[in-house]
Amino acid sequence: KLHLIRNGVDISEIDAVQGISPEMASWKKDGAYVIGYIGRLIPGKGIDVLFDAVARDGDRNWRVALIGEGEQAAELKDLAKRLGIERKVQFFGYREDRLEFLKGFDVFVLPSRSEGVPRCLMEAMAAGVPVVASDIPGCRYLVEHGRTGLLFPTDDPGRLYETIDSLAQDTSLS
């Protein structure tokens, strides 16, 4: 018999990760609510929308972990500074131990403007990390709003902020 698996992740690789990265452990020790992203740092990923959302958090102890590299890194660092969130955002670059970071996230956010079927969402879901993603076809394929994750309107930092805040305030949603 043949079975077609349209897209998938190796669950055993995720299950084999026993701990979280020391960086995430340190943030957790400080009581931070960790918002994570793993992927390329390019305009289509909507990281600017995430930054705009985080800039609305006031004095909450939110931290953003970005795992990945890309052409937009310098621009995003400048944006974080302009928005006054540079102390809340850490660019970790490419990491072989990305799954140790993932398991330390309180929420995985994918604010993309366009996606196929995002592997990073599948990994986050397989790791049991709550997911928030843009309401676009590739993400809707994986995320059923309110059941397997939360969706927000693409390019809407206000709604993204509200969605993250609802998770941060109500741990029963996680």
Side-chain angles (χ1 to χ4, degrees):
K1 284 187 160 185
L2 293 177
H3 295 278
L4 173 63
I5 300 173
R6 295 185 189 273
N7 208 340
V9 295
D10 184 353
I11 302 294
S12 65
E13 179 185 15
I14 294 164
D15 289 344
V17 176
Q18 297 300 309
I20 65 174
S21 72
E23 296 90 343
M24 296 299 95
S26 173
W27 286 7
K28 296 278 198 182
K29 183 178 170 190
D30 291 339
Y33 185 76
V34 181
I35 301 163
Y37 168 86
I38 299 173
R40 294 179 301 148
L41 305 181
I42 59 173
K45 295 297 185 177
I47 301 163
D48 57 315
V49 176
L50 174 58
F51 284 10
D52 285 343
V54 170
R56 299 165 191 243
D57 83 337
D59 61 354
R60 290 180 183 87
N61 190 13
W62 288 8
R63 299 289 308 270
V64 178
L66 300 171
I67 312 302
E69 297 175 343
E71 64 195 47
Q72 198 183 22
E75 179 185 329
L76 289 169
K77 288 175 184 176
D78 288 343
L79 177 61
K81 191 173 212 172
R82 283 195 315 274
L83 293 171
I85 61 170
E86 69 272 12
R87 289 190 343 243
K88 293 178 180 254
V89 176
Q90 180 71 43
F91 292 80
F92 289 99
Y94 173 80
R95 297 290 298 247
E96 289 282 336
D97 59 346
R98 76 187 186 292
L99 297 176
E100 291 178 15
F101 277 85
L102 176 63
K103 288 204 171 184
F105 296 167
D106 290 303
V107 62
F108 179 86
V109 176
L110 184 64
S112 292
R113 295 176 173 98
S114 172
E115 285 288 341
V117 177
R119 177 183 176 85
C120 57
L121 268 184
M122 289 188 282
E123 289 180 337
M125 294 167 86
V129 176
V131 297
V132 173
S134 299
D135 190 3
I136 57 176
C139 295
R140 274 195 307 269
Y141 181 77
L142 298 172
V143 178
E144 182 181 335
H145 182 72
R147 185 167 171 268
T148 60
L150 298 174
L151 298 169
F152 74 97
T154 308
D155 281 324
D156 190 338
R159 290 288 296 279
L160 176 55
Y161 165 78
E162 291 167 4
T163 304
I164 295 169
D165 190 50
S166 70
L167 285 171
Q169 299 300 318
D170 185 356
T171 55
S172 71
L173 296 173
S174 300

